[in-house]
Amino acid sequence: MPDAIRMTFNVDGDDFAAAGTASSEVKRALKQLGMPPELVKRAAICMYEGEINMVIHADGGVASVAIRPGSVEIELRDRGPGIPDLELAMQEGYSTASEQARNLGFGAGMGLPNMKRYADELKIDTKIGVGTTVTMVLRDRTR
Amino acid sequence: MERKLFHSVTLNLDKCKGCTTCIKHCPTEAIRVRFGKAYIIEDRCIDCGQCIRVCPHRAKSAVCDSFESLKNYRLTIALPAPSLYGQFNNLSDIGLVLTGLLRIGFDRVFEVAAAAEYLSDFTRRELLKNNSLPHPTISSACPACVRLIKHRFPELANHVLPFVAPVELAAVLARSKAVAETGLKPEEIGVFFISPCPAKVTASRLPIGISARVMDGVLSMTDVYTRLLPVLKTIGEPEITPQAGLTGIGWSVSGGEGSALLNGRYLAVDGIENVIKILEDLEDEKLPELDFIELNACTQGCVGGCLAVENPYVAKTRIRGLMKYLPVSRNKASALQDGTGKIQWQGSLESESRWALDSDMGAAMEKLLRINELANSLPGLDCGSCGAPTCRALAEDVVLGHASEEDCIFRMRERMQILSGGGEADADAYLPPPFRKCEEDRK
Ligand SMILES: Nc1ncnc2c1ncn2[C@@H]1O[C@H](COP(=O)(O)OP(=O)(O)OP(=O)(O)O)[C@@H](O)[C@H]1O
Ligand code: SF4
Ligand SMILES: [Mg+2]
């Protein structure tokens, strides 16, 4: 049996319209693997929030996903501006989203809180001027 | 579990030319071309009727019951879908259509729109109670959408309103009324739905949420329309008074069911591709706070059903015209005897994912890896020459054992090149011009 299914996506920072396509591919793969619906749902939300954040706050990046029988690991790595105050950024409703992003319906300041709520593990490495790496692990809670 | 497979949507082999139009339009990737003919993967078909609409050779059709079967019953009842009323030009009175149904051979008429009003009223009350129903509630009236959720959105299955569709309630009410009034046995009465779509035909034979069939047959709206048209002109005064208000009739257009709940927080989606997008968004919690989501597989709602005759936009305008000057509703749920028993499903929707590649996750992972690998190695043209809608779909078919890699004409080309020992130009001889690679051919 293969150890994991790995998927990598270059998430384009210039293409707002394409944001979210990586998460829908991951979701499709999870469904095809017969992962439990509750895990598919949480993983799809976490991946989507992370992917959008890379597009609207960090000018794109690379998303890597490793799918194993009982878990999904998502890594989102960008070379954006970094997050100056992580505690503040984690608060519900805090957002620095641009006017353009807000017009598209983003910027409610709910992305990171949702990731925290749905992922079983969330780790954020961020350095001003260097970039941000968000790692999430989601486990099958039915097992 | 579905007891057996039945699909109203069927293929006429003689008419099918094996073109790739339907495989490209099927929203669930349920069609392939094999041996020069289309082939429907029954497991995946949701009877939405999209292929019937797009087939240029009219090789896809909806199997309905025949008008002849009216003869098998001592008493027959027509259940017209409200979308029928939108098919006629300059119709001043719905009573004319209802009377026409008597003239073409039915003994009685029971409007599905009336049953829809009971349902709207019942659902509104249940939503207000705010405890028992899932949040947000997804309409269960369009069987194509219900089947889509069952197969592809297992996480959403428990959001589906666990209530019968208007036509099912209409069938039960019409039959029991006729039994009470005539003393006939239930089985001596033939209850026939006049349907705008194949999905309702399938649902009548394989009902979802209820254990037994409640209709004796489903007739095509086109068929009934053709019979009604000459008769309508001969009717002076309608003999039947319509039993529904604007609420029931409004169910035939997108937004009708949602707005009847008298609660602003609903969303009405029409067209199967839009429905899929909204369900994806709902699953990913991307939608705003909503109480109710109305789904119609057909553009503009049931007036867009593929068995309807009129253009859906025209029919919708006509329905709006007929709704004017009608009372809001003529049917209150409180008037129903044992409303709950008649309306509520025996359980909630059971999901039945048709997406998993294998029931064993390890095996599924292995298959997915091979699919990804193969899909990446295919040219990505999605040209359809292999009979699958996309290169990825071919990769899935190959790994699942339903197709061969060499069904791809580029794979074929490579093999020919090896076999003939020749160069690119030789191999190109096996490809149609748009796919040839050699420059000399570019004239
Ligand atoms: N990858 C990132 N790079 C730089 N800053 C980020 C990144 N991700 C999040 N942030 C900062 O954290 C804030 C909060 O993020 P969060 O996802 O919770 O909300 P949002 O993206 O602003 O709005 P929403 O996710 O609700 O559309 C953002 O406004 C931004 O300032
Ligand atoms: S929208 Fe109406 S006509 Fe179209 S498939 Fe659904 S129930 Fe049938
Ligand atoms: Mg965000």
Side-chain angles (χ1 to χ4, degrees), chain A residues 45-108:
Chain A
I45 295 173
C46 288
M47 172 84 188
Y48 178 80
E49 294 290 6
E51 185 185 352
I52 297 291
N53 276 359
M54 286 204 301
V55 175
I56 66 176
H57 304 300
D59 203 22
V62 176
S64 327
V65 179
I67 308 170
R68 294 187 180 81
S71 73
V72 182
E73 198 180 308
I74 302 168
E75 188 199 82
L76 304 140
R77 184 183 291 273
D78 69 57
R79 292 161 172 276
I83 306 173
D85 184 343
L86 197 52
E87 205 178 317
L88 187 62
M90 290 304 298
Q91 279 175 19
E92 288 191 9
Y94 176 80
S95 174
T96 61
S98 69
E99 194 58 33
Q100 193 189 3
R102 282 175 202 272
N103 286 340
L104 286 168
F106 304 120

Side-chain angles (χ1 to χ4, degrees), chain B residues 64 238 294:
Chain B
C64 297
E294 175 187 331

